[in-house]
Amino acid sequence: MQTGSTTIRRVFDSSVIFNIPIYQRAYSWEKEKQLKDFFNDILTQHPEKKYFLGTYLFHVREEQGDFQIIDVIDGQQRLTTFVIFMKELIDRLIQGGASEVSERTRRIYLKDGDVYKIKLSNEDSSFLHQHILEDHPVTSNGLQTPSQRLLLSAKQFFKDSLQKCDLNTLNKLYQTAVQAEVLLYVVEEIQAATQIFELLNDRGKRLTDLESLKSFLMHNIGIVSEHPNQMINDIQHQFAEIYRMIERHQLNDDDVLRYHTLAFEKEFELSAKEYIKKKVAERMGAGQYEEAKHLMISYARNLKRSFELFASILKNEDNVQALRDLTMIGRIAPFYPYLMYAKHESNQEFVRLAQALVKFNFRAVLANLRSNAGESYMQTAHKEGRNLADRIEQFCAENWWNMNRRAKDNLKYSSQYESMNRNLVKYILFKYENHLRFIKGFPPLELEHYFNDSAREKLSIEHITAQRVRGITLDEDFRENYMHNLGNLVIDTAASNSSKGNKVPDQKLSAYLRAPIMSQNEIDDFSCDWSDLASIKRMIDARKQVIDDFITVQFEL
């Protein structure tokens, strides 16, 4: 196999195994974004013109028996998709009795004897072979990763699309596909591969920032070192681990890159790649090649550490209550860099910062401060090396932007359901529910209950007295000051809320007494004549005061 222009048939019609290295991103093509374009390009190709299937960068490696191992450095998504497409196309042609294909065609593109022509260097390889290139059914728990779902989706997309084609169209698709032109770059040294990859992808081909950063590091290690292979392998290993974390935890790599740059490089203006390019260029420009090598190797390792830290925070591996609270309140994204930095420093500092952020963020949301309130102050404090937990505690203690007074005023308002952030109302009622559960010895509701999105179990906010009740005339004062008052609100599951509907209050009470929500059961503790509007108002006032007192103590307002 040589560098140059050739056809995809010549690429496959040899004793090669195409290997997708473990440091490459897992399969990510989607039906609406890439698969439809791929199929339509082949389907609509002019019969007198060659179809161009793309540029590929191959690294020739060792032999495995009678086969040559070829690492796919660039073009792995398209090549994998092509193989899946060919599998379904060959099946349809053989089923239709087409003369153009035979079992030999399968050996060329799919499987030569017991050897599959493409393999993945991660946990998806067996899945690709058994369920995509073969037709073994997938069990209910057989899909282990998002990329496996996408592989299966690609197989189903091509199967469905090809089912709609007659035999003549299928033959045209086959001829277009196997005669498609490709441009190959074939190298025997990984250093050469990184240089070509960098040049190819800096000239218009869109990479993710993470892929571009990996390319930059691998390429520049080759420039500053006479024997770069071991260091390139080290970078490949770090990025292989990063890609596995992205896949396992469904992380947004752009977000984590940004968090890393803010947290550990303390850079607030440049992107991750711009930053590391600048730092490497400074050292190389000064002839400090050893320092540049050390910088790039340590950067890859530190980046992997940041992905580990973020994944740990996202999963709340340390079971930190303040982190759960911060997640429920929302607006957590601006704080991730500082939480990552604190967690790297110590678990004790991490917990302390999370607790301070809950206190601050609750006030900020309750006071209706803008979503990025305090962000520039935090950036400055972090860049100066000041303790961020101390700084945030200072915000709260010194009534920064008058947020304590504004928060208290909003809490006193009589129509919180309408005036307050709706999620914050839910959070307050959720925290109050868990406060009652603790007192009564019941296990608390957990984060998964808060964010449960199922039709029956999703938590909603219920008005104790419905907006249209039978038997009681609601006056203007009630509608203005009591209907949307915190004292008239409880959390409930969507199914239970729906079943209660607009029952009169005493009918609702019997439903609340049977409910698993303690704050609903507690309603009976408030003396109330449900046929008397004045009594209902007194009950709402009393319950509102209890919740206000709870919030004041809980958040030190």
Side-chain angles (χ1 to χ4, degrees), residues 38 125 286 340:
F38 178 93
S125 196
M340 289 163 61

Side-chain angles (χ1 to χ4, degrees), residues 326-384:
L326 196 56
T327 304
M328 288 186 283
I329 294 170
R331 300 184 182 182
I332 189 173
F335 307 128
Y336 276 133
Y338 313 117
L339 289 166
M340 289 163 61
Y341 185 87
K343 186 169 179 58
H344 175 63
E345 292 292 297
S346 72
N347 279 338
Q348 181 179 2
E349 191 61 32
F350 171 67
V351 172
R352 181 168 171 257
L353 177 59
Q355 291 171 339
L357 285 170
V358 169
K359 192 185 297 185
F360 169 79
N361 210 27
F362 180 82
R363 285 164 165 76
V365 177
L366 185 56
N368 291 322
L369 296 184
R370 66 183 188 274
S371 60
N372 62 342
E375 194 170 349
S376 62
Y377 293 90
M378 294 179 198
Q379 289 179 356
T380 300
H382 183 58
K383 199 161 190 174
E384 293 173 352

Side-chain angles (χ1 to χ4, degrees), residues 448-460 492-495:
E448 55 265 28
H449 297 115
Y450 192 88
F451 289 107
N452 192 315
D453 205 31
S454 71
R456 292 191 59 80
E457 298 178 2
K458 180 179 180 180
L459 288 177
S460 61
D492 199 2
T493 61

Side-chain angles (χ1 to χ4, degrees), residues 27 29-44 51 81 154 157-158 161 164:
Y27 188 74
W29 274 25
E30 300 177 28
K31 174 182 173 181
E32 297 298 331
K33 294 182 179 178
Q34 293 93 13
L35 296 179
K36 281 187 175 180
D37 287 343
F38 178 93
F39 182 75
N40 289 333
D41 284 348
I42 299 177
L43 184 65
T44 59
Y51 174 60
T81 302
F157 169 75
F158 290 131
S161 299
K164 301 172 185 176

Side-chain angles (χ1 to χ4, degrees), residues 529-553:
D529 179 355
W530 293 95
S531 63
D532 178 37
L533 187 58
S535 180
I536 294 174
K537 289 180 180 180
R538 288 193 296 272
M539 183 279 295
I540 293 173
D541 284 336
R543 190 166 177 273
K544 169 68 162 53
Q545 187 60 55
V546 169
I547 295 175
D548 282 356
D549 292 343
F550 163 73
I551 294 170
T552 301
V553 172

Side-chain angles (χ1 to χ4, degrees), residues 122-391:
N122 61 28
E123 60 268 32
D124 292 341
S125 196
S126 176
F127 183 88
L128 174 69
H129 295 160
Q130 297 303 311
H131 304 295
I132 307 301
L133 303 186
E134 305 286 357
D135 293 308
H136 298 292
V138 180
T139 60
S140 58
N141 61 349
L143 293 172
Q144 302 296 322
T145 64
S147 53
Q148 290 177 7
R149 286 191 285 273
L150 291 172
L151 287 166
L152 191 62
S153 175
K155 176 185 175 81
Q156 192 61 51
F157 169 75
F158 290 131
K159 184 185 292 291
D160 293 342
S161 299
L162 293 168
Q163 287 286 351
K164 301 172 185 176
C165 299
D166 58 29
L167 188 58
N168 185 52
T169 302
L170 293 172
N171 284 327
K172 289 180 179 178
L173 285 170
Y174 177 76
Q175 294 301 327
T176 300
V178 300
Q179 294 173 13
E181 289 186 340
V182 294
L183 181 60
L184 300 185
Y185 291 88
V186 182
V187 299
E188 295 185 358
E189 293 292 335
I190 187 64
Q191 177 184 351
T194 62
Q195 182 176 9
I196 294 171
F197 185 82
E198 176 74 5
L199 292 173
L200 283 174
N201 289 289
D202 262 359
R203 294 182 180 178
K205 187 173 181 180
R206 177 72 178 103
L207 290 175
T208 68
D209 286 348
L210 187 64
E211 289 169 328
S212 182
L213 203 153
K214 176 189 69 177
S215 165
F216 170 80
L217 293 175
M218 292 169 63
H219 172 58
N220 281 274
I221 281 289
I223 292 176
V224 299
S225 175
E226 293 182 5
H227 306 286
N229 286 1
Q230 192 173 40
M231 286 177 284
I232 289 174
N233 287 339
D234 185 88
I235 292 173
Q236 288 174 341
H237 173 74
Q238 308 307 326
F239 277 86
E241 291 295 313
I242 288 172
Y243 284 131
R244 300 295 78 77
M245 282 186 278
I246 290 171
E247 179 76 7
R248 192 177 310 120
H249 306 297
Q250 300 185 49
L251 306 181
N252 183 310
D253 45 304
D254 286 339
D255 286 345
V256 185
L257 265 181
R258 185 172 69 256
Y259 299 153
H260 167 82
T261 307
L262 295 172
F264 295 103
E265 313 302 346
K266 299 186 178 181
E267 170 58 57
F268 301 98
E269 301 296 332
L270 302 178
S271 70
K273 186 175 179 182
E274 289 170 339
Y275 169 81
I276 194 63
K277 267 189 166 182
K278 176 174 177 287
K279 292 298 181 182
V280 169
E282 288 172 354
R283 284 155 179 77
M284 291 174 65
Q288 299 171 345
Y289 299 118
E290 286 300 316
E291 289 83 351
K293 283 190 288 187
H294 175 74
L295 170 66
M296 288 185 279
I297 291 294
S298 61
Y299 184 87
R301 292 173 180 171
N302 292 340
L303 189 60
K304 185 192 78 169
R305 178 197 64 197
S306 286
F307 274 85
E308 291 170 340
L309 288 167
F310 181 73
S312 175
I313 292 170
L314 203 63
K315 292 164 58 183
N316 197 4
E317 290 179 342
D318 299 317
N319 197 26
V320 176
Q321 178 58 49
L323 187 58
R324 289 195 289 271
D325 283 313
L326 196 56
T327 304
M328 288 186 283
I329 294 170
R331 300 184 182 182
I332 189 173
F335 307 128
Y336 276 133
Y338 313 117
L339 289 166
M340 289 163 61
Y341 185 87
K343 186 169 179 58
H344 175 63
E345 292 292 297
S346 72
N347 279 338
Q348 181 179 2
E349 191 61 32
F350 171 67
V351 172
R352 181 168 171 257
L353 177 59
Q355 291 171 339
L357 285 170
V358 169
K359 192 185 297 185
F360 169 79
N361 210 27
F362 180 82
R363 285 164 165 76
V365 177
L366 185 56
N368 291 322
L369 296 184
R370 66 183 188 274
S371 60
N372 62 342
E375 194 170 349
S376 62
Y377 293 90
M378 294 179 198
Q379 289 179 356
T380 300
H382 183 58
K383 199 161 190 174
E384 293 173 352
R386 299 169 62 183
N387 185 284
L388 207 57
D390 288 344
R391 184 68 171 129

